[in-house]
Structures are given as C-alpha cells and as structure tokens.
Amino acid sequence: MHAVTLRDLMWMLFLWCASCNCGPDPRKREALIRLEASRRTGGNITLNEREKLLDGKLQKLKQHDMEARQFPPSMHFFKAKCLIDQSPVFSLLQKMPKGAALHVHDFAMPASSPRCSSWTLLRSLREKIKNSTDLDNSFIRNLTLFTEDPDRAYPSQDTVWKRFEQAFLVAYGLVTYAPVFKDYLYEGLRQFYEDNIMYVEIRALLPATYELDGRLNNKDWSMRACQDVVRRFTANYPDFLGARVIFTIHRGINATEAVKTVEEAMTLHRNFPDIMAGFDFVGREDLGRPLWYFKEALSLPEDRGVNLPYFFHAGETDSQGTDVDQNLMDALLFNATRIGHGFALARHPVVKEMSRKMDVPLEVCPISNQVLKLVSDLRDHPAAVLMAEGHPVVISSDDPALFGATALSHDFYEAFMGFGGMSFNLGTLKELVINSLRYSSLPSQTKKKAIEVLLVKWDKFVSESLL
Amino acid sequence: MHAVTLRDLMWMLFLWCASCNCGPDPRKREALIRLEASRRTGGNITLNEREKLLDGKLQKLKQHDMEARQFPPSMHFFKAKCLIDQSPVFSLLQKMPKGAALHVHDFAMPASSPRCSSWTLLRSLREKIKNSTDLDNSFIRNLTLFTEDPDRAYPSQDTVWKRFEQAFLVAYGLVTYAPVFKDYLYEGLRQFYEDNIMYVEIRALLPATYELDGRLNNKDWSMRACQDVVRRFTANYPDFLGARVIFTIHRGINATEAVKTVEEAMTLHRNFPDIMAGFDFVGREDLGRPLWYFKEALSLPEDRGVNLPYFFHAGETDSQGTDVDQNLMDALLFNATRIGHGFALARHPVVKEMSRKMDVPLEVCPISNQVLKLVSDLRDHPAAVLMAEGHPVVISSDDPALFGATALSHDFYEAFMGFGGMSFNLGTLKELVINSLRYSSLPSQTKKKAIEVLLVKWDKFVSESLL
C-alpha cells in the first residue's frame, strides 16, 4: 500500500523546506500538505475513477454533517445516535462492505450471580402486565447502558463500569442456557452480516452452559457449539466467511489460575485450530492485574515451543505512569498479534514505534471508549493522532448491543467523521476495511482470498453508490 | 539538555528489541521503560541530590492526588479549582519559580461597544444597594466566565466564545481610561510577580485609551505607557525582569487592513525595540480568516528586509481538514517564533516534525482549552502526547482573570498532573520553567542572564521545599 519512492522524495522536500526560511511559496506549501495527506491512514491508496467520483460525493455529504449545528462525534453517542441515523454519510457507511469486526465480546463476565429470581415465561409476564412498553423498556434498561442523560446517570468511570459489568450479569443466566447460547450466537452473526460484515473474531469467556436437566457443558462443548453455529450460518449465508474465538479470562485471577488458564487455552488451540484464534484478558484494566503480573503464565507457550497468539486488551486507561500503564509495552514484549483499544498508545512514543515496526495494529472502539468515559468529544480521541500518522488500526465495536449501536456502522461513522473531519476520504475507508481482514487471525491463504472477495464487494458498493 | 550518546545507545537497544521476538526479559523491559522516560519533557534533565529528594516527596504528594476520589484534571476547572487549591502539589507549584508567562492577553477585543450606560461611581452604587455581595457577584459574573455549572451555562463552543468575547467588552470601557490602563497593567504584573513569575509577554491590542477631557491616545502612547509601568514596577520589585508586548489584531480584518496593520507593527517594532516583541492575530480561529488569507501582509517584512517576529495563534481548533486547520503549517512557513496553543498539532505529523526541527515551541494553555471546550478531560489534551515525545512546549494561562485562575500556578498544576500523571517528575517542571525563558523573545544575553537568575531561584526553592 505504500509508495515508498514518492514518500522518500516528499520527505526530502520536507527536510529541505524545514531547514530553510523558505517563506510562503505556494508550491512548497501544497507539497507539504500532500506529504501530510500521504501519511494518513489510506493516504497511499490510489482511487480509481469511479472511487474518485464517489469520494467527491462523500466529501459533500461530510461537509453537510460538519456544518450542522450539532456535530455528532462531539456529543455522547446516546444523544448523537438519532442524528447519525439521519446522516447520508452513515447510510453510505451502512451499505459499505466493512470486512471484519475483530474486537467484539460475547455476553458474559466470569462471575455469575449465585442466586437469581425464578424463571418466568415472557408470555405469562406480558399477560399479567398491562403496559408492555414499560416492560420492554425495563429489558432495554437492564440489558444495555442506554439512558437519555448519560452524563447524569454515569458521572464517573467507576459508575459506568459498574453498570457495564452488571448488564453482562443480567444477560448471563439467559445466554448460558445451552440452546439459547447457540441461538444467541446465530442471531449475533446475523446482525453483523446485515451490517455488511463478512467475518467476526469474538472474545469469549466460554462459560459453562446448562441444560434443563441440570447438566453443565464444558468449554469443549462451547467450542463445538460455535463451530456448529458458524457452519450452519455460512451454509445459509454463503458470502459470510465465518467467525473465530479469542478465549478470554477476567484479569482479576491470580498467577496460579493464570497458568492453568493459559494451559487450557493451549489445549483448546490445539484441539480447535480452525475456530480458536488465541487468548486475552478482559475486565477493567485500572482495577485488574497488569500483564507483567502474569509473566510466568504468558511465557508458558514460548517455553514449551507452542504457538498461542495473544490479542491483549492494553492501554484502555487514562492512568499515566502506573503499573497498568505498562500493559501496552508488555503486550508487545509478549509478542501480541493485535492490541485491544490501545487508547494510551499515543502517550507512549517508544511503544508506538515498536508496534508500528512490528506491524501490530490497534483495535479502536470509539463508542465504547466514549461510553466508558475515556474521552468525551471523539475529536480528542488519540486514534485521530495515530491515524494522521498512518498507524495500523482496525475499527471495531466492542459491545455494540450494550451501547445501542449497530454491529459496526456507528463506530465507523464516529471514527471517520470524528477522527478525521474533512481530512479523511474514501481511501481512508478502503484501507480500514482492508486492514480488518489483513490483521485478522485467518490463515494466510484464506486471508488473501477473503481480501479478494472483499474488493469485489467494494467495487460493487462503489458502483451502486454512484447510481 | 540532550545526552545524545545515551539516547543513541538506547535507540539501538530499542531497534534490537523491536526486531526480535525478545520476549519478556526484565532487563530489556527496564531499558525500554527508561528510553521512554528519557524522551519526555525533562527526561534528560539530571537531578542533583537535593532535587532527587524533593522529587521523591513530590511523587508521594502526586500519588495522593491521583488516588483521590475526584481527579481535578479530569473535571472542569470551575469545579476542580477548590480541590486544586487544597492540594499540596499545587502549593509547591505556587512556590516554584516559574520563569515566564509567554501567552497572556490584555483585556480587550478590538470592537468596543458604541454605546454603554452612563458611568456611576462604585461608591454611590454601593450606598444605593443594600446587598453588596450581590453587586460584587454581578461584577464577577460579568467580568469573568466563572459559573458553578459550566456544562449547563456553556453547552457549546459557540456559547462559551460569545460570553468570552462579551466579558472582554465589559472590561473595555473601564481599562481604556488612560490612568486605569496603567494601574491595570501594574496590578497585572503584580499578580504575575506574586505567582513567582519573573517575566511576561503580553499579547496586546493596544486600543486607543481616553482621557476625561475627551482626548484619545494612540498606540505610541500605549507603548510608552507600558514602558513606564514596567520601569516603575521593576524599580519597586528589582527581581522582576520585565514585560514585552506582542501587538495583536482581530483575525476578522480584511487583507487591506492587514497590510496597514503589519506596517504599523513594523513601525512599532522599530520605534520600541526594547518592549515590542512582535505580531499576532487574535479571536476565534474557526470563525476568523486563515493565516494564508493574510499572506500578502505577512510577507511584507521579509520582502522589505525588516525583522518582525511572529507569534501566531494556530491550531486552537478541532476542525480537521479545513482551511483554518492549515494555520499551523502556515505559521511555520511564515517562520513563527512560537505558536499559540497548537492544540491541533499532534494531528499534523509533518507540521509537528517541522516545528520540532525548527525548535518552535507551543504555548500550551490547559485551562483555556478546557473552558473554551476544546477538551473536557485534560488527560486527553494533545499536549500529553507532545510532552511524552519531548516536543518543545511552554505552559501559559491565556486569560487567567477570566477563568478565575492564578497567574500561572493553576495551569501548571493541570499540565503537570493532567498531561503526565505519575510519569512526570521534578525534571519535567525544571525543563518547563527553563523553556519559558529559553523560548522568550528576550535578546540572547538578557536571556542567558535571566536563566542564570532563574536557576538560583530554583535552587533556593528546592532547598526551602525540603525543610
């Protein structure tokens, strides 16, 4: 994707301009502006004639959103959603083939509630209650974070994370019922597919699922269930490529439990190579143990000569100079394949250069970072800095159902409009979309083929959008 | 300040680590952490034994603020102020000699209100009104932006900028009365001096001042008045170094007016070389004309072989890819001596490298950027990224009186705690303080001497803080 010769030439031009008092020569100025544009994500993508036409159209649509009284990426997503939904830019992004979603979670956190109220059929409940709108709203209220006044409801990271983990627990008993687990996964894939996504990597805790007779199913059962569901889904939707699982555990565990878990992950990776992508920790970084605490466990695969790819959450924090703030560096020292969030990366210049040289991308989830209160105005999101430098990133959605967002399109809107304003173009989108497959855990042959399929879809999207 | 050999060695180490799967060797990890620390603002300052002792104390004080339930830099300054005022870190920063304040404005915007209500003696007003607390509060309300619920009072940049410019206008008629102009300036210098600042560069519109007999004084009068006041002040406070003026004009003027103004600036610079530092535009960048629009006027000094230093506000915006967003590049192409704010710089990697190579610092004003709604949580301020890379910056306060802040100490607190968390240390502060004189417009001999005086003050501060 990188036209090295052009870049080198422009860089020399830049050095020449910077070293002299060259004054306001419009040609040099133009060259510097182009040099900066070439650095951006997608800045070296050459658009064909039809893509240029669509880009022209897109820039006009963007201008409209930029000049509106309220700019959605500057607002909380819960308030911005209705504005985004009306935006023609959003409508275009929905239709756009988005490749893969590489950072999304399954439903649960590890600790289930030991006791919950007895089960009631939803039908019986509806018959008893007159106002079923209230009932439906109470489900939404309990299963998602949505609220009309998020600043009041969630004044701090502590309050929003508490509700966030609660919402997972509410869903826990529902989706760990074995048949529902499969239906839930199938429906999840359908929603991603309908948002024009062809492949998903799911971070999954793989908790025990239960049958009505009291039997509990183990992780092997869950992996096989995932295999079955994915097979069934791709049979029904042949242009969907599939899904893989990143096995996760809560970062609250201790070192001994971590050793056991990594061993379990190695076994799963050996037994389910087609569907098991690797390993990660979940839970709020600031309250959990830093990666370095788990060094013994995380060294096991290399020590034993076994390959276990890591996809660590790291830098999902605004603490600076703390132990947790070293997670980004440690993720790379443990040779992570991708980094989840990496919100703090721009503040770590050495780690940033390491990740660029090692070509380890960040999975950037704008809406999640905003709802979980790392950043308020998405124009201030550090990914704006990273994408201006062409740092490898993919856009993902973390927990779209909890945020009331579509599978990926709302996050694409926030990233495209919020991180780039008028400076991003169709080339930015094309690189992001290709990145999503390039940085997936798919085997290289499958990956190559997937990108070819994606590019055919892309050309079709461009043509249809010009009609 | 830069130990180049050490840096080179560490850089080689970094390249070596990044190129191999070196795994979690604790020594390499430690070296990388140190390499990153060396990159930060102040990262190459070697602390002496007493400074190390004070740094240890400072780190403990910081820890306390970091672990408190509410972290001031994450809150709006109007709500954080009472917390900051109680912080022992703040108390230390107040005592610290801070060198110079290089980005502060005089009181006014160019357009005065054509009509205002008739003058009343404050004494008469107080006699008429029973509750003088209400009266005093109304002054504060009209002359500053302070309010207890800033998010509600100023929901957008538009609303807060409107109030901001109004507050200047309210003060206009008061401080353009010639004797008050001098008293106001004197009192301003006193407040900076009391906050342990030894030198100030004031961006001044130099509006006509009036006498009671109706006479109007021109810009020459204002420059002479500044000279007089500064001389009087330094006579009374011999360890205060002085003040210089950066002549400013509103960026709403047209190209013809700009030519006249730049010519006026050249004349002032020739006639008042000791007190006149250079030229700049003021007013909200997003609504004003971009620097490139003024290219004819701004080229005049170079065309005529005249030196007129520029200190442009640039990048005080979150618009990306617009004409205004090119101001940062154009400021450098017009060979600016310093850049005001530069909030957008981290999103412009080429301009960032230019400014670093040209050693053009940013004047970072954290509280102003927050109150004027560029950023909500100061940990998300792009200066955190820039200072992590050791980009040249000075900390300033823009309009402290309007924000209810001290001359500079509150901004230092926000920058030190907000941009660096636990990662900044006493070396960071020392470099910032030295930067404030190093990047001033003082002649080189005066500058050298000023830094020597500052370092004597610094050593005294360190010793006294250890008692």
Side-chain angles (χ1 to χ4, degrees):
Chain A
M1 285 297 145
H2 294 283
V4 178
T5 323
L6 177 66
R7 281 174 79 111
D8 287 352
L9 277 173
M10 293 183 100
W11 187 243
M12 283 167 64
L13 171 74
F14 155 61
L15 291 176
W16 170 57
C17 281
S19 63
C20 68
N21 292 349
C22 52
D25 180 333
R27 287 162 308 172
K28 286 178 197 166
R29 180 178 188 264
E30 192 50 44
L32 285 167
I33 291 173
R34 267 185 288 137
L35 174 59
E36 199 151 76
S38 76
R39 291 267 199 104
R40 254 169 238 143
T41 304
N44 285 300
I45 296 250
T46 308
L47 299 179
N48 64 31
E49 286 310 311
R50 276 178 311 170
E51 285 171 330
K52 279 183 195 158
L53 279 177
L54 180 57
D55 188 47
K57 185 176 163 184
L58 179 60
Q59 294 300 324
K60 272 186 207 131
L61 299 180
K62 280 171 69 176
Q63 190 81 43
H64 176 267
D65 284 17
M66 292 278 290
E67 286 166 3
R69 205 173 56 80
Q70 293 183 298
F71 184 57
S74 73
M75 304 157 65
H76 194 289
F77 175 69
F78 295 170
K79 292 179 176 175
K81 185 173 182 291
C82 58
L83 296 176
I84 298 174
D85 289 347
Q86 291 160 27
S87 157
V89 176
F90 177 65
S91 149
L92 198 75
L93 292 173
Q94 282 188 294
K95 288 175 203 134
M96 182 179 77
K98 283 170 282 291
L102 299 183
H103 186 120
V104 291
H105 289 269
D106 67 343
F107 46 89
M109 300 300 277
S112 71
S113 183
R115 274 180 298 183
C116 66
S117 49
S118 59
W119 291 101
T120 311
L121 269 180
L122 196 52
R123 192 177 47 206
S124 325
L125 204 61
R126 283 200 198 285
E127 275 162 10
K128 261 196 286 185
I129 287 166
K130 278 179 192 161
N131 188 339
S132 69
T133 309
D134 283 356
L135 183 68
D136 290 346
N137 286 341
S138 91
F139 292 139
I140 292 172
R141 212 170 45 243
N142 283 291
L143 288 163
T144 81
L145 291 187
F146 184 81
T147 163
E148 281 178 8
D149 195 349
D151 296 325
R152 191 164 298 264
Y154 313 124
S156 68
Q157 288 184 17
D158 286 340
T159 46
V160 74
W161 266 92
K162 200 172 162 190
R163 269 285 287 118
F164 182 58
E165 302 208 339
Q166 263 172 3
F168 279 103
L169 289 180
V170 170
Y172 192 88
L174 286 169
V175 286
T176 49
Y177 174 41
V180 172
F181 177 83
K182 291 186 177 186
D183 288 355
Y184 179 85
L185 187 59
Y186 192 94
E187 173 60 18
L189 294 181
R190 208 185 54 75
Q191 294 205 8
F192 278 88
Y193 177 76
E194 294 210 331
D195 202 24
N196 287 307
I197 290 154
M198 60 195 274
Y199 172 71
V200 185
E201 294 190 0
I202 307 166
R203 277 167 167 86
L205 288 151
L206 304 176
T209 56
Y210 63 90
E211 307 284 352
L212 282 191
D213 59 10
R215 270 181 303 137
L216 288 178
N217 302 312
N218 63 12
K219 289 187 173 51
D220 278 19
W221 183 93
S222 299
M223 290 303 273
R224 274 195 304 272
C226 291
Q227 269 177 328
D228 292 348
V229 169
V230 170
R231 269 182 212 144
R232 189 150 49 88
F233 193 87
T234 48
N236 291 339
Y237 302 94
D239 60 332
F240 189 77
L241 196 69
R244 303 187 86 206
V245 168
I246 296 166
F247 170 46
T248 60
I249 187 97
H250 197 278
R251 57 177 79 252
I253 59 168
N254 66 32
T256 317
E257 291 164 326
V259 167
K260 272 188 210 154
T261 310
V262 168
E263 281 173 338
E264 206 172 6
M266 290 190 282
T267 308
L268 286 170
H269 194 246
R270 192 182 59 233
N271 294 345
F272 300 93
D274 59 329
I275 196 142
M276 161 83 174
F279 177 71
D280 184 16
F281 290 103
V282 295
R284 187 173 169 198
E285 257 180 278
D286 282 319
L287 299 187
R289 291 189 158 117
L291 285 179
W292 192 243
Y293 168 84
F294 298 115
K295 54 185 177 299
E296 191 196 335
L298 296 177
S299 303
L300 274 184
E302 204 185 322
D303 292 349
R304 299 193 187 164
V306 171
N307 176 35
L308 179 67
Y310 291 141
F311 301 83
F312 292 128
H313 279 71
E316 190 187 8
T317 180
D318 41 27
S319 299
Q320 292 170 68
T322 61
D323 286 346
V324 158
D325 194 29
Q326 295 302 340
N327 278 351
L328 279 165
M329 178 172 287
D330 292 330
L332 292 180
L333 289 178
F334 284 110
N335 208 22
T337 300
R338 295 192 306 263
I339 286 176
H341 296 293
F343 186 85
L345 188 70
R347 292 193 291 249
H348 287 279
V350 170
V351 186
K352 188 175 78 175
E353 298 230 18
M354 283 171 73
S355 81
R356 206 165 303 175
K357 278 180 208 290
M358 295 164 82
D359 200 23
V360 175
L362 299 191
E363 303 159 345
V364 176
C365 306
I367 295 173
S368 168
N369 295 157
Q370 189 190 52
V371 172
L372 296 175
K373 294 186 88 74
L374 280 175
V375 61
S376 159
D377 185 329
L378 283 170
R379 292 173 295 190
D380 293 327
H381 194 291
V385 172
L386 297 170
M387 288 178 69
E389 299 172 354
H391 197 90
V393 298
V394 296
I395 304 299
S396 202
S397 50
D398 210 3
D399 309 279
L402 268 90
F403 308 139
T406 48
L408 194 54
S409 291
H410 282 106
D411 280 282
F412 251 86
Y413 180 90
E414 300 280 25
F416 186 55
M417 297 299 293
F419 302 167
M422 289 311 293
S423 70
F424 285 174
N425 67 5
L426 194 66
T428 316
L429 293 172
K430 194 172 181 181
E431 179 147 334
L432 285 175
V433 160
I434 294 170
N435 277 357
S436 75
L437 290 170
R438 182 196 289 156
Y439 292 116
S440 72
S441 72
L442 288 167
S444 62
Q445 277 309 308
T446 320
K447 189 183 288 190
K448 205 176 151 227
K449 214 178 139 192
I451 293 177
E452 282 167 17
V453 172
L454 172 71
L455 290 177
V456 171
K457 279 174 189 273
W458 175 268
D459 287 340
K460 188 160 169 278
F461 156 71
V462 172
S463 300
E464 286 174 0
S465 305
L466 286 172
L467 292 181
Chain B
M1 286 296 145
H2 293 284
V4 178
T5 323
L6 177 66
R7 281 174 79 110
D8 288 351
L9 276 173
M10 291 183 103
W11 187 244
M12 283 167 64
L13 171 73
F14 154 60
L15 291 176
W16 169 56
C17 280
S19 63
C20 68
N21 292 347
C22 54
D25 180 333
R27 288 161 308 171
K28 286 178 197 166
R29 180 178 187 265
E30 192 51 43
L32 286 168
I33 291 173
R34 268 185 287 135
L35 173 60
E36 199 150 75
S38 76
R39 291 268 199 104
R40 254 170 237 143
T41 304
N44 286 301
I45 297 249
T46 308
L47 300 179
N48 64 31
E49 286 310 311
R50 276 178 311 169
E51 286 172 329
K52 277 183 198 161
L53 279 177
L54 180 57
D55 188 47
K57 185 176 162 182
L58 180 59
Q59 295 301 324
K60 272 185 208 132
L61 298 180
K62 281 172 68 178
Q63 190 80 44
H64 176 266
D65 284 17
M66 292 278 289
E67 286 167 3
R69 204 174 55 81
Q70 292 183 297
F71 184 57
S74 73
M75 303 157 66
H76 194 288
F77 175 69
F78 295 170
K79 293 179 176 174
K81 184 173 182 291
C82 58
L83 297 176
I84 298 175
D85 289 347
Q86 291 161 27
S87 156
V89 176
F90 177 65
S91 150
L92 198 75
L93 292 174
Q94 281 188 294
K95 288 175 203 136
M96 182 178 77
K98 282 168 283 291
L102 298 183
H103 185 120
V104 291
H105 289 270
D106 67 343
F107 46 88
M109 300 301 277
S112 71
S113 184
R115 277 179 297 184
C116 66
S117 48
S118 59
W119 291 101
T120 311
L121 270 180
L122 196 50
R123 193 176 46 207
S124 326
L125 204 62
R126 283 201 199 286
E127 275 162 11
K128 260 195 286 185
I129 286 166
K130 278 178 190 162
N131 188 339
S132 69
T133 310
D134 282 355
L135 183 68
D136 291 347
N137 286 341
S138 92
F139 291 140
I140 292 173
R141 211 170 45 241
N142 283 291
L143 288 163
T144 80
L145 292 188
F146 183 81
T147 165
E148 281 178 9
D149 194 349
D151 295 325
R152 189 165 301 263
Y154 312 126
S156 69
Q157 287 184 16
D158 287 339
T159 46
V160 74
W161 267 93
K162 200 173 162 189
R163 269 286 287 118
F164 182 60
E165 303 209 336
Q166 263 171 3
F168 280 103
L169 288 179
V170 169
Y172 192 88
L174 287 169
V175 285
T176 49
Y177 175 40
V180 172
F181 177 83
K182 290 186 178 186
D183 288 355
Y184 179 85
L185 187 59
Y186 192 94
E187 172 61 18
L189 294 180
R190 208 186 55 74
Q191 293 205 9
F192 277 88
Y193 177 75
E194 295 210 331
D195 203 25
N196 287 307
I197 289 155
M198 59 195 276
Y199 171 71
V200 185
E201 294 190 0
I202 306 166
R203 277 167 168 87
L205 287 150
L206 303 177
T209 57
Y210 63 90
E211 306 284 354
L212 282 192
D213 59 11
R215 268 181 304 138
L216 288 178
N217 301 312
N218 63 11
K219 288 188 174 50
D220 278 20
W221 183 94
S222 299
M223 289 304 273
R224 275 194 302 272
C226 291
Q227 268 178 329
D228 292 348
V229 169
V230 170
R231 271 183 210 142
R232 189 151 49 88
F233 192 88
T234 48
N236 291 339
Y237 302 93
D239 60 333
F240 189 76
L241 196 69
R244 302 187 87 206
V245 167
I246 296 166
F247 171 45
T248 60
I249 187 94
H250 196 277
R251 60 177 77 253
I253 60 168
N254 66 32
T256 317
E257 293 165 326
V259 167
K260 274 188 208 152
T261 309
V262 168
E263 281 174 339
E264 205 172 8
M266 289 190 283
T267 308
L268 287 170
H269 194 244
R270 192 181 58 232
N271 295 343
F272 301 92
D274 59 328
I275 195 140
M276 161 81 175
F279 178 71
D280 184 15
F281 290 102
V282 295
R284 187 173 169 198
E285 258 180 278
D286 282 320
L287 299 187
R289 291 189 158 115
L291 286 178
W292 192 244
Y293 168 84
F294 299 116
K295 55 186 177 298
E296 193 196 331
L298 296 177
S299 304
L300 275 183
E302 204 185 323
D303 291 350
R304 299 192 188 164
V306 171
N307 175 35
L308 178 68
Y310 291 141
F311 301 84
F312 293 127
H313 279 73
E316 190 186 8
T317 180
D318 43 27
S319 298
Q320 292 170 66
T322 62
D323 285 347
V324 158
D325 194 29
Q326 295 302 342
N327 279 352
L328 279 165
M329 179 172 287
D330 291 329
L332 293 180
L333 289 178
F334 284 110
N335 209 22
T337 300
R338 296 193 305 263
I339 286 176
H341 296 293
F343 186 85
L345 187 71
R347 292 193 290 249
H348 287 280
V350 170
V351 187
K352 188 176 78 176
E353 298 228 18
M354 283 171 73
S355 80
R356 205 165 302 173
K357 278 179 207 289
M358 296 163 82
D359 201 22
V360 174
L362 299 191
E363 303 159 345
V364 176
C365 306
I367 294 173
S368 168
N369 295 157
Q370 188 190 53
V371 173
L372 295 176
K373 295 187 87 75
L374 280 175
V375 61
S376 159
D377 185 329
L378 284 170
R379 292 173 295 189
D380 293 328
H381 194 292
V385 172
L386 296 170
M387 289 179 70
E389 298 172 356
H391 196 90
V393 298
V394 296
I395 303 300
S396 202
S397 50
D398 210 3
D399 309 278
L402 267 90
F403 308 137
T406 48
L408 195 54
S409 290
H410 282 108
D411 280 282
F412 251 86
Y413 180 89
E414 298 281 24
F416 186 55
M417 296 301 292
F419 302 168
M422 289 310 293
S423 70
F424 285 174
N425 66 4
L426 193 66
T428 316
L429 293 172
K430 193 171 181 181
E431 178 147 336
L432 285 175
V433 160
I434 294 171
N435 277 356
S436 75
L437 290 170
R438 181 196 290 158
Y439 292 117
S440 72
S441 72
L442 289 167
S444 62
Q445 276 310 308
T446 320
K447 189 183 288 189
K448 205 175 151 228
K449 213 177 141 191
I451 294 176
E452 282 166 16
V453 171
L454 172 71
L455 290 177
V456 171
K457 280 175 187 273
W458 176 268
D459 286 341
K460 188 161 169 278
F461 155 72
V462 172
S463 300
E464 287 175 359
S465 304
L466 286 172
L467 294 180

